[in-house]
Amino acid sequence: MFRTALRNVSAHKARLLMTAFAVMLGVTFITGSLVFGDTLNRAATAQATDGYERIAVEVDLNGSPGGGPGPGAIDAQAVTALAGVPGVTVAAGRVDGFAAVAGRDGRPLGQGESHQGANFAPGLDGTDPAYRFTHGSGPAGNDTIALDESSAAQGRYRVGDSVRVGTNQGAASYTLSGIFRTDGMRLTTGSSLVLFTDAAAQRLFLQPGHYRSVELTAAPGTQPQELVRRVESVLPQGTSAVTGGRLAQIKTNLATSTSSTMSQILLGFAAAAVFVATFLISNTFTMLIARRTRELALLRAVGASRRQVRRILLTESLLVGAMASAAGLAAGTGVAALLRTLFTPADTPAGPLVLTPGTVIIALLVGTLLPMVAAWLPIRRAMAIPPVAALSAAEPTAPARAGTLRTGLSAALALTGTAAVVFGAVTTEKDARTVIGLGAALALTGTIGLIPLLSRPFVSLVRPLLRRLQPVHGDLAARNTVRDPRRTGATAAALAIALTLASGLSVLGASATDYLDRATAHDLIADYQVKPADGAMRMTPDTAAPLRKLSGTVFSPLNQSTQYRLDSTSSVLTGVDPATIGRLLRYDVIEGSLDCLAKGQIAVADFKAEQAGWHVGQTLPLQRADDQRGSVTIGAVYQADEQSDLLPSITAPDSLVARYDSTPNTAAILVATDDGPGPAALGTISRALGDNPALAVLDEAAVRAQDSGPIGDQLNVFYALLSMALAIAALGIANTLAMSVLERRKEIGMLRALGLDRAGVTRMIRLEALLIGGLGAALGTVMGVFLGWALGRTLQESIAGYTLVLPWERLALGVLIALAGALLASLWPARRAASVDIAAATAAQ
């Protein structure tokens, strides 16, 4: 049986080429996803643990292992006490915080979002083992800094140059004293690191004479766990001791979370590609087995049992899958390298490609089992034909219509799934998206089963247009397309799945982008919005103080103050300047007046008032977490979106916030100028803020790009990933047409004999491809829009103002790409059909 299967594969290698290629693409995508994820995880782990081997024990503030933010600080006396513990050779106090380095163009250096500053802590020998200097030395005065090698190269800085650095305390210029290299734990890929003196770092990031953490180096022969027990007796209050190994594990878990998410997304798209490939493989084996009906019947007639014939066919599919899997495994490693180049975040470290035994096993299993599973139904159908009937048939007959049982089951699945999707869209339950997901799976499965039935109405709908454009060739193409509804349906289904995902993503992306654009255009009246260039920077009300010197300019910081309870409701107050906020933000007041802010009252968003049961004129008791108490009166209720980044839930006068909170966090500064936005106004505002690289001055277009840009970038990535499924679907169309041409050689020869020229045959095949592609594109677009609408409905409860937007350009582009792919897929089958020899074809029996 194995020799027979091997001979059959060799005899039909041309017909199985497309199937093998589809399997290879699916395995390539899966292998690439797994290798890409393992590579990122390995590199992230290596970077996160780099340097902790030198640290025996680290003393941190409670709740902040690894030097994260925490309450209080460790004073210099505690560091001295820790240095005196037996077994400790060095106790290095560490301070760190936000610090952005300006390049020559004034923008922050580094490609990532991590801009860090730290202290240079030299020992008695004048060196700090955490840093290895390649040029110059560590900072010796409070007006000097040292810079990491990558940032210095990016900014083209040399020792002795003046470098501008922005921190939470403002911006200042320093003299560059040295350029260094350091461990991965301190400097992640793409970020920047500035070293200050102890005194300067403490003043900028903490408080004089205090540290955030202390790194202990153990004497030879002292075990980290033993050292932890020794230092416990001298630990300052509010701190804890952790071994370097434990810290490395914590950092590893944090570092690999992003790469794991990316791997899961890629695997999801790989699964979609494999699912699409299943239709191609099943369709190919259906056509192959139909062509070999007599051959299989002859095997049965000479004594082979059904089980033996079934084993031969399954072995053929296994051989095809094994060969394609091996090729896909090799190609997938290359794809992983490409994915690392295209989709790796800027802050992800580089590393060698990682091909694990688990990846090899998964890829080979998927590649070998997929053809066997896809071929099972065609084989079972062929085995049901009696040998005598198969031997007596002049030509293998194709089913004229879809089976009744299949149609009924598919219709039931489609209706049930559609009902579930609609229910999930209109309900307000928290599991609505899960219901929609399950319903979508059922509806998609049912629709795929109904495609053979839907092919006839679709072709009948477009046939008049074909007859008008191409009277002869269009009519022939329409007849050939519906000759075998199952084959046409299976081929179109692969394309429909890919278009469903692409169309659904387009609808969600366009709707979200439209919402963000409308929210920005409606809420923002100010010319500029000043925000931290890096999310780690913390702005305060003092950040906006220099803007008072500008004439013809009005501004207001949005000072967020937390930990309030108003009338037993947890609340956040946002302080604004009552005199200017009306020129900077648009408040659609429903009740009361925004003038209440000048009277010391507050204005409340409608959703907050509805949730808490508040109304205009109501006086609410106020209590802060530090037990400050008071009362506030509601003077206005305005319309706002709960998800808005601009309009706060509670707007208060800045004087009210200052009464209870001396250090509120300034989320943004809104600025309007008399002359409107322009390069001159932008430069004036930037200079007034000290040319601080840590601050970004954004106009309305930049705010929109910042809000909606990531959505477009992510959609482009998803479209690129879906292109694999589209490519496999195009292969399915090419394979179906090629097999159809092979089956219809005699018919094509007769058409040629009756006067149809080669160009006419080519045109007929191309029109068939366009009909199949059009059927899949139409169904996929309709299903994608339906699912996009349903998922969008679940967002309307939490995002007021979210509405469905149909991106007609993107939807039309998706259909055109599908049709172009179908047309491209028809080139080879059309060429084969046009080259059919008339005499040989008409003489064939």
Side-chain angles (χ1 to χ4, degrees), residues 65 78 80 162 196 259 265 282 284 323 363 403 417 419 452 668 787 827 830 842:
T80 303
S162 178
F196 300 87
S259 56
I265 293 175
S282 179
T284 301
M323 291 184 290
L787 294 179
L827 295 180
T842 53

Side-chain angles (χ1 to χ4, degrees), residues 644-722:
S644 175
D645 290 333
L646 287 173
L647 286 180
S649 60
I650 301 178
T651 304
D654 47 14
S655 59
L656 177 64
V657 169
R659 186 187 311 164
Y660 296 99
D661 189 353
S662 60
T663 58
N665 176 57
T666 300
I669 304 170
L670 305 180
V671 186
T673 60
D674 291 345
D675 298 330
L682 180 64
T684 300
I685 295 172
S686 297
R687 286 191 296 272
L689 293 173
D691 288 324
N692 193 337
L695 297 177
V697 183
L698 310 174
D699 58 13
E700 183 178 328
V703 172
R704 286 183 175 182
Q706 189 179 67
D707 291 341
S708 59
I711 296 178
D713 295 340
Q714 196 139 27
L715 281 177
N716 291 334
V717 172
F718 290 159
Y719 291 149
L721 297 175
L722 282 174

Side-chain angles (χ1 to χ4, degrees), residues 136-278:
S137 60
N142 291 340
D143 59 346
T144 61
I145 60 167
L147 192 59
D148 70 275
E149 189 175 47
S150 177
S151 298
Q154 183 183 353
R156 301 190 303 277
Y157 286 125
R158 297 181 179 179
V159 173
D161 286 350
S162 178
V163 181
R164 195 155 185 84
V165 180
T167 67
N168 289 334
Q169 306 298 325
S173 296
Y174 300 85
T175 300
L176 184 62
S177 66
I179 299 173
F180 62 86
R181 295 176 181 174
T182 188
D183 307 319
M185 57 171 279
R186 301 180 189 278
L187 181 65
T188 58
T189 303
S191 60
S192 62
L193 178 60
V194 188
L195 292 184
F196 300 87
T197 62
D198 251 10
Q202 290 168 350
R203 175 179 54 83
L204 291 171
F205 304 136
L206 204 57
Q207 51 184 306
H210 289 76
Y211 299 91
R212 195 179 301 276
S213 63
V214 183
E215 296 174 356
L216 304 181
T217 303
T222 304
Q223 297 299 316
Q225 291 294 347
E226 175 62 26
L227 194 58
V228 167
R229 287 191 289 270
R230 294 179 185 176
V231 301
E232 284 179 347
S233 60
V234 296
L235 282 180
Q237 184 177 2
T239 65
S240 59
V242 187
T243 65
R246 174 58 180 160
L247 285 173
Q249 184 60 50
I250 294 173
K251 291 289 188 177
T252 297
N253 295 337
L254 293 174
T256 56
S257 59
T258 300
S259 56
S260 298
T261 301
M262 177 65 75
S263 299
Q264 291 170 5
I265 293 175
L266 290 174
L267 283 175
F269 282 97
V274 170
F275 187 51
V276 170
T278 304

Side-chain angles (χ1 to χ4, degrees), residues 292-598:
R292 296 166 56 192
T293 304
R294 289 187 179 182
E295 174 190 332
L296 300 177
L298 184 60
L299 286 174
R300 296 280 308 282
V302 297
S305 65
R306 287 187 178 183
R307 178 175 298 178
Q308 288 176 314
V309 175
R310 185 183 295 113
R311 286 179 180 174
I312 291 174
L313 295 174
L314 288 175
T315 303
E316 291 178 21
S317 65
L318 178 64
L319 290 173
V320 171
M323 291 184 290
S325 298
L329 189 62
T333 306
V335 168
L338 181 62
L339 289 174
R340 184 176 58 176
T341 301
L342 296 178
F343 302 141
T344 299
D347 57 352
T348 302
L353 292 177
V354 178
L355 181 62
T356 64
T359 297
V360 175
I361 293 173
I362 291 174
L364 293 179
L365 282 177
V366 171
T368 53
L369 293 180
L370 179 62
M372 297 179 68
V373 172
W376 175 258
L377 188 59
I379 292 172
R380 181 182 178 187
R381 192 181 299 128
M383 292 300 96
I385 302 176
V388 175
L391 287 171
S392 63
E395 287 288 347
T397 57
R401 57 185 178 84
T404 304
L405 178 61
R406 169 177 172 163
T407 300
L409 180 60
S410 298
L413 288 175
L415 290 175
T416 302
T418 301
V421 171
V422 173
F423 174 78
V426 300
T427 187
T428 58
E429 300 294 331
K430 62 179 181 179
D431 296 329
R433 291 175 195 172
T434 302
V435 174
I436 290 176
L438 295 175
L442 293 177
L444 188 60
T445 303
T447 303
I448 290 171
L450 289 175
I451 288 181
L453 187 67
L454 298 174
S455 60
R456 289 185 182 277
F458 176 80
V459 173
S460 298
L461 182 65
V462 299
R463 180 177 285 181
L465 178 63
L466 291 176
R467 284 177 173 174
R468 179 173 298 180
L469 298 177
Q470 298 287 336
V472 176
H473 314 100
D475 190 62
L476 288 173
R479 291 176 182 273
N480 291 331
T481 301
V482 297
R483 177 180 294 183
D484 189 340
R486 286 185 178 176
R487 178 187 303 175
T488 300
T491 306
L495 193 59
I497 294 170
L499 261 295
T500 297
L501 295 174
S503 301
L505 288 172
S506 295
V507 170
L508 288 174
S511 300
T513 301
D514 175 75
Y515 160 75
L516 292 173
D517 284 346
R518 284 188 291 107
T520 299
H522 178 272
D523 297 342
L524 185 64
I525 305 177
D527 298 327
Y528 295 100
Q529 183 178 6
V530 181
K531 298 182 69 175
D534 186 302
M537 179 186 176
R538 183 179 185 273
M539 294 196 305
T540 66
D542 292 337
T543 307
L547 297 176
R548 295 193 181 96
K549 303 176 182 178
L550 300 181
S551 61
T553 300
V554 296
F555 69 94
S556 175
L558 303 180
N559 299 322
Q560 290 184 343
S561 184
T562 60
Q563 299 182 346
Y564 291 89
R565 296 197 68 83
L566 299 183
D567 193 26
S568 302
T569 300
S570 180
S571 303
V572 175
L573 300 188
T574 299
V576 301
D577 184 352
T580 61
I581 193 61
R583 287 190 55 189
L584 303 170
L585 284 180
R586 179 177 287 108
Y587 284 83
D588 294 328
V589 178
I590 301 173
E591 187 179 1
S593 171
L594 202 61
D595 293 338
C596 68
L597 297 176

